[in-house]
Amino acid sequence: MRIAIVGASGRMGLSLLEAVADLGQLTAAISRVSVGECVSKIMGNKAPEAVIINSDLAAVVNDFDVVIDFTRPEISMQYVEICRQAGKKMVIGTTGYTDAQKDLIAKAAEEIAIVMSPNMSIGVNLSLKLLEMTAKVMGDFTDIEIIETHHRHKVDAPSGTALQMGETIANSLGRDLDACAVYNRQGIVGARGHDVIGFSSIRAGGIIAEHTVMFSDECERVEITHKAIN
């Protein structure tokens, strides 16, 4: 399968380039910087010399079968439309979409194959299962708080993973996350509501990603934590 990486010069993009190049399936790379350069130059000669960085996905649409997209929502939506029109597949790890953007992606997925998740980690997806189980047992009588920590370069908050955790919990409890979510607190906010799912976001240094969900009543507390260290 021929693979294109968009956002190739970013933090995640460089990691994806290396992983795909090792498989020998990298055929296109898209970035707004280093345009016209060989991918091998920014990777230290670990990629095929023939792969040249391009700024326009549509210009190389015949060179790939699937796009891996870890960019930003406003950019990602352009790639979704290009792939929909060209019948190309997508793997999307971009986060921070609005509900309207998610609806457009869902409609595109009726025409092309799309795998979309805010976190591809095995550990995170295991954590989601644990959260579902814990919510069903403890969610009705505990206070639920989600604390996420990322590096200073992350631009969206809460993280897509934190939101997915909140949605998993809310669905398990028959709640609407949009109605019960509280994002950070400041000033005289009053007593905590019983059905609230709270979110707190921390941005600091080079922390990769940490997510903790707390289920707490007045007698005990259960915490489920996932930490990415690479």
Side-chain angles (χ1 to χ4, degrees):
M1 180 175 288
R2 301 173 303 161
I3 299 174
I5 304 298
V6 294
S9 59
R11 290 164 61 94
M12 179 60 80
L14 289 170
S15 296
L16 290 169
L17 283 178
E18 184 171 348
V20 175
D22 286 343
L23 295 173
Q25 295 176 315
L26 179 66
T27 58
I30 306 300
S31 176
R32 289 177 293 178
V33 300
S34 303
V35 176
E37 293 185 355
C38 293
V39 172
S40 57
K41 183 174 181 180
I42 65 173
M43 291 183 60
N45 298 318
K46 294 181 180 180
E49 292 286 344
V51 180
I52 305 298
I53 296 176
N54 199 299
S55 61
D56 183 5
L57 185 67
V60 294
V61 75
N62 294 321
D63 296 340
F64 63 86
D65 303 306
V66 59
V67 170
I68 302 179
D69 171 25
F70 281 74
T71 56
R72 296 176 64 171
E74 66 276 13
I75 301 170
S76 178
M77 296 309 299
Q78 298 174 28
Y79 297 146
V80 169
E81 181 58 21
I82 291 170
C83 290
R84 186 193 66 78
Q85 292 185 13
K88 302 296 182 175
K89 304 174 179 68
M90 297 190 74
V91 175
I92 302 176
T94 297
T95 59
Y97 293 109
T98 64
D99 288 341
Q101 289 171 329
K102 290 178 182 178
D103 288 342
L104 289 174
I105 294 172
K107 290 179 180 177
E110 296 175 1
E111 301 181 42
I112 60 174
I114 297 178
V115 174
M116 179 177 172
S117 174
N119 200 304
M120 306 290 179
S121 158
I122 293 174
V124 164
N125 284 280
L126 172 61
S127 297
L128 293 174
K129 289 295 184 182
L130 296 175
L131 290 172
E132 181 181 351
M133 293 169 58
T134 308
K136 289 178 179 178
V137 174
M138 302 183 67
D140 285 330
F141 63 87
T142 57
D143 298 328
I144 303 169
E145 293 287 325
I146 301 172
I147 304 99
E148 56 98 352
T149 305
H150 285 80
H151 52 82
R152 63 171 64 137
H153 304 288
K154 186 167 179 61
V155 297
D156 59 310
S159 69
T161 300
L163 290 171
Q164 187 174 23
M165 289 176 165
E167 288 174 357
T168 297
I169 294 167
N171 290 340
S172 298
L173 296 172
R175 301 178 191 173
D176 179 359
L177 184 63
D178 289 337
C180 67
V182 171
Y183 301 102
N184 296 313
R185 299 174 176 89
Q186 183 179 8
I188 308 301
V189 297
R192 190 186 196 284
H194 172 69
D195 291 336
V196 164
I197 297 177
F199 291 82
S200 298
S201 298
I202 300 168
R203 299 290 178 264
I207 299 169
I208 301 299
E210 298 182 2
H211 294 84
T212 294
V213 181
M214 177 190 306
F215 297 83
S216 181
D217 67 6
E218 295 184 356
C219 298
E220 60 181 343
R221 181 173 75 239
V222 170
E223 294 183 358
I224 296 173
T225 296
H226 178 272
K227 298 182 179 181
I229 56 177
N230 183 303

